[in-house]
Amino acid sequence: MQKPTRTVTSPKKFIIGSDLLSEIDEYVRAYGDHAFFICDEFILERTREQAGAALAQAKVGASYERFGGECTQTEIDRQLARFKASGANVIVGIGGGKTLDTAKAVAFYAARPVLIFPTIASTDAPCTALAVIYKEGGEFDRYLWLPQNPDVVLADTGILVAAPFRFFAAGVGDALATYFEARACYLSDGVNLVNKKPSRTGLGLAELCYQLLRENVAMAADAVRAKAATPAFEHIIEATIYLSGVGAEAGGLAAAHAVNNGMSAIPQLHNAQHGEKVGFGLLTQLVLEGAPEEEFAEVIRIMKTVGLPLSLDEFGLTAFIEADWRRVAEIACAEGDSMANMLRRCTPDQVYDAMRAADAIGKRYA
Ligand SMILES: [Zn+2]
């Protein structure tokens, strides 16, 4: 039996505000005197100008490298070599989840601090002590579990509010499952993302995550459509970037993410966002739990507010192939997956039926 060690793990600092690129010297200086930026192409010039000016004034060195587009071992090795050649001593990742995962992995191999600057709010990549590594062809390779969370995570509201709406919505989908998965994991006394027992703090962070989504999602969606950072948008960013990540890490995952993992077996869903699949996984989890109608209604209200797909039709699936979805259920119930954190043991047949029912419930509300 596993020793009941409980954990709360988190980045050392989470900063939320505007114009943070121009203030980045304030955060870099605590960790080194030469920053190595791994940057998405679209923001590379802006980083050179804004962060570069701030660092030059603070007499902190800066080197810049464009992210190659996929978080592969080859890309990590290439960035690591550039980092070593540059003479820098602190790493800054600026971009989407894959860029951030690459920066975290490079910092791990170099044993140096890392600052994380997400430009979209669609996943838990910024705050977690995990990098997802892919093969050259884009398929999943392996998880790289890191001994530390990032040192600093900087959420710039001006940059995040200007990102495409779909990424904002996907972040809401991923964050929406956090509370329900942490609740399941806590009740079942399962294991969290760092393979320890969930803490009450983890469940509390997940509860706050859900509360912020319930109270702010509609106003925040308006803010994104208007590309205007508002307090409601800040609350959602705090939920999707910070609470969703640390809530899952300390509180644990359950059926919603297990179903998401299973859905990777459906080729037509390869372009679906992680948070979109997690949203459908959450509906499946609520069916498995026999959740009350009010709980479905509230979850679906939030999903509809940001246009997340409620049914398989809304994912653009034209045909339902039973064998494919039986396979999804098998993968979701695989040994070691977070389905084991459900209060009642779930079989592939039960998960298959729950997905069919979730699809029907989603259609009713659509
Ligand atoms: Zn997730």
Side-chain angles (χ1 to χ4, degrees):
M1 215 186 106
Q2 194 186 2
K3 201 171 142 236
T5 307
R6 300 184 184 277
T7 58
V8 186
T9 47
S10 161
K12 288 195 191 78
K13 287 185 187 173
F14 175 67
I15 312 292
I16 182 163
S18 57
D19 297 321
L20 297 178
L21 270 183
S22 314
E23 297 168 8
I24 204 151
D25 55 304
E26 187 183 333
Y27 306 100
V28 169
R29 267 184 305 171
Y31 298 97
D33 60 8
H34 186 156
F36 180 82
F37 288 87
I38 300 173
C39 238
D40 276 5
E41 183 156 26
F42 87 97
I43 200 159
L44 185 56
E45 273 319 300
R46 186 170 167 185
T47 301
R48 272 185 206 275
E49 276 168 32
Q50 297 182 0
L55 292 171
Q57 190 145 46
K59 301 201 171 8
V60 174
S63 303
Y64 306 88
E65 192 64 40
R66 190 178 60 83
F67 174 57
E70 188 60 272
C71 181
T72 59
Q73 191 61 49
T74 311
E75 173 67 3
I76 293 165
D77 292 343
R78 182 180 78 84
Q79 296 282 1
L80 183 62
R82 303 297 294 229
F83 168 75
K84 286 179 176 162
S86 73
N89 47 21
V90 49
I91 291 148
V92 185
I94 304 190
K98 290 172 189 287
T99 315
L100 306 181
D101 277 3
T102 302
K104 290 192 285 184
V106 171
F108 165 67
Y109 288 118
R112 292 305 310 167
V114 62
L115 281 69
I116 292 292
F117 200 113
T119 54
I120 52 174
S122 62
T123 69
D124 290 344
C127 288
T128 51
L130 168 69
V132 186
I133 317 248
Y134 293 85
K135 294 181 185 158
E136 298 304 324
E139 336 66 294
F140 172 78
D141 178 4
R142 68 184 202 278
Y143 290 121
L144 176 64
W145 297 98
L146 304 165
Q148 297 290 340
N149 296 73
D151 294 275
V152 183
V153 175
L154 296 141
D156 186 299
T157 49
I159 290 171
L160 292 166
V161 83
F165 191 92
R166 191 179 177 192
F167 294 133
F168 164 78
V172 168
D174 200 21
L176 186 54
T178 306
Y179 163 63
F180 297 95
E181 294 188 282
R183 180 177 74 180
C185 187
Y186 194 80
L187 291 174
S188 69
D189 202 28
V191 290
N192 63 21
L193 264 188
V194 295
N195 210 26
K196 303 288 185 197
K197 293 289 177 187
S199 58
R200 184 61 183 82
T201 302
L203 179 59
L205 292 169
E207 285 164 351
L208 179 61
C209 185
Y210 187 41
Q211 185 190 338
L212 291 183
L213 292 175
R214 294 179 76 174
E215 292 172 355
N216 297 286
V217 70
M219 300 257 261
D222 294 337
V224 177
R225 278 187 280 265
K227 301 213 181 297
T230 60
F233 177 71
E234 280 184 23
H235 290 322
I236 293 292
I237 287 305
E238 207 166 323
T240 56
I241 294 188
Y242 185 73
L243 293 168
S244 177
V246 296
E249 204 163 88
L253 301 176
H257 271 78
V259 169
N260 160 76
N261 294 343
M263 287 168 82
S264 67
I266 307 281
Q268 299 93 304
L269 293 180
H270 279 177
N271 290 324
Q273 289 283 312
H274 170 74
E276 293 169 349
K277 291 181 284 183
V278 170
F280 182 73
L282 173 57
L283 296 180
T284 306
Q285 174 170 332
L286 294 176
V287 172
L288 287 165
E289 291 176 324
E293 181 81 33
E294 311 88 77
E295 212 157 64
F296 277 101
E298 180 62 354
V299 163
I300 287 173
R301 177 187 73 84
I302 293 168
M303 291 173 72
K304 272 185 93 160
T305 301
V306 295
L308 284 165
L310 294 176
S311 64
L312 300 181
D313 282 358
E314 291 189 350
F315 275 100
L317 284 183
T318 43
F320 180 87
I321 301 163
E322 177 173 343
D324 283 358
W325 289 89
R326 293 271 174 207
R327 175 103 186 98
V328 171
E330 287 289 341
I331 298 170
C333 294
E335 178 87 32
D337 207 323
S338 55
M339 188 67 78
N341 286 335
M342 295 293 282
L343 189 53
R344 282 183 297 184
R345 213 180 82 80
C346 300
T347 64
D349 283 351
Q350 287 168 328
V351 172
Y352 175 82
D353 282 347
M355 291 191 298
R356 304 257 23 207
D359 182 40
I361 293 167
K363 280 200 184 92
R364 169 156 62 86
Y365 278 94

